[in-house]
Amino acid sequence: MNPHALAASRKIDATNGTAGKDDRSPPRYVAIKQSISDAVRDGQLKPGDRVPSESELVDRFDVSRMTANRALRELQASGIIVRRAGIGSFIAEPRPIGQMIEIRNIAEEIRERGHDYRARVVQNSEERATAETAPLLGVPIGTRLFHSVIIHHEAEFPIQLEERFVLASVAPDYGRIDFTQRTPNEYLTRIAPLERVEHRVSAMMPDARTHAMLGLADGEPVLRMTRRTWSRGRLVSHAWLTHPGTRFELSAAFSIDD
């Protein structure tokens, strides 16, 4: 546990056994939530810091596991913490806001927020368009495509699952690019300057694959942006950009000329 979390733990220890002894005291789960919220407000716990586990809260507050679990669930629902299965609970980063109209490099967005960026490339391979994938780019079955799947991380948290199909004739080196060092967006905008962009955003419940890749909590929805881009009169890329619904929001701003 880092020094910030340790400081918060001492604060929690100091309240152990006090909640519930007075009829005017709040319920135990509320006391736990308030203690962690206060530690965040006072700077004792910062984004990314680990918070006490369910078992630790049971011991420190002398409560049942059900009570500790409720406190953590409600902290998660309010966006104060994020819970990672098999790892623990952590103070959440402020919810990032993605630009929906402007096409930006996600790595730059994350770094501008003062956070570390890293990518994990799950797949980047060449394949032939099938009856399912050919319509995505409006090409005949059998056309050479590249298919990439990349998980983008902000600090230690997965913030975007990017699945993209790219027309190989426009980006012949796509399959050889190291996308841990540069993003597909950065590469494609350099070799195929944007001419037209189409966006569609929807909220949905994730499938098991997406749930695992983004480290989602049970029942957590996602925001999925479908993005198609054209260059020199050709549709060159079809991408699904999927974000955890509780840790991300999209915005757009524009001016209207008189």
Side-chain angles (χ1 to χ4, degrees), residues 144-159:
R144 290 177 58 242
L145 306 176
F146 288 107
H147 181 193
S148 61
V149 179
I150 301 169
I151 305 173
H152 302 280
H153 291 73
E154 181 163 0
E156 65 178 287
F157 301 109
I159 196 67

Side-chain angles (χ1 to χ4, degrees), residues 25-185:
S25 297
R28 295 290 186 92
Y29 77 90
V30 173
I32 296 172
K33 288 173 56 182
Q34 190 62 53
S35 182
I36 293 176
S37 297
D38 288 348
V40 173
R41 182 198 61 202
D42 296 341
Q44 296 173 320
L45 282 172
K46 299 182 182 300
D49 283 351
R50 178 184 173 276
V51 301
S53 68
E54 191 175 295
S55 296
E56 290 169 330
L57 292 175
V58 167
D59 291 339
R60 290 171 184 160
F61 278 88
D62 190 23
V63 296
S64 69
R65 183 171 291 273
M66 182 180 299
T67 297
N69 180 266
R70 177 174 179 178
L72 292 175
R73 283 191 290 108
E74 293 199 4
L75 285 166
Q76 180 184 25
S78 62
I80 295 174
I81 69 171
V82 291
R83 304 179 75 181
R84 302 283 303 279
I87 300 176
S89 299
F90 302 86
I91 300 301
E93 297 282 352
R95 181 178 294 184
I97 300 176
Q99 295 297 317
M100 197 172 83
I101 292 178
E102 183 181 4
I103 304 299
R104 297 197 60 198
N105 182 351
I106 189 171
E108 291 179 358
E109 285 192 22
I110 290 172
R111 289 170 181 143
E112 285 179 5
R113 292 194 284 266
H115 300 150
D116 292 332
Y117 165 81
R118 68 178 177 88
R120 180 164 73 88
V121 179
V122 178
Q123 174 182 337
N124 185 16
S125 58
E126 180 180 330
E127 56 189 55
R128 297 286 176 172
T130 66
E132 290 75 28
T133 60
L136 299 178
L137 292 172
V139 296
I141 294 174
T143 301
R144 290 177 58 242
L145 306 176
F146 288 107
H147 181 193
S148 61
V149 179
I150 301 169
I151 305 173
H152 302 280
H153 291 73
E154 181 163 0
E156 65 178 287
F157 301 109
I159 196 67
Q160 183 189 93
L161 171 60
E162 172 187 335
E163 182 165 11
R164 186 184 296 267
F165 291 90
V166 176
L167 192 60
S169 61
V170 175
D173 295 327
Y174 188 92
R176 295 193 293 271
I177 301 299
D178 182 358
F179 288 126
T180 64
Q181 300 302 311
R182 65 199 310 190
T183 65
N185 172 279

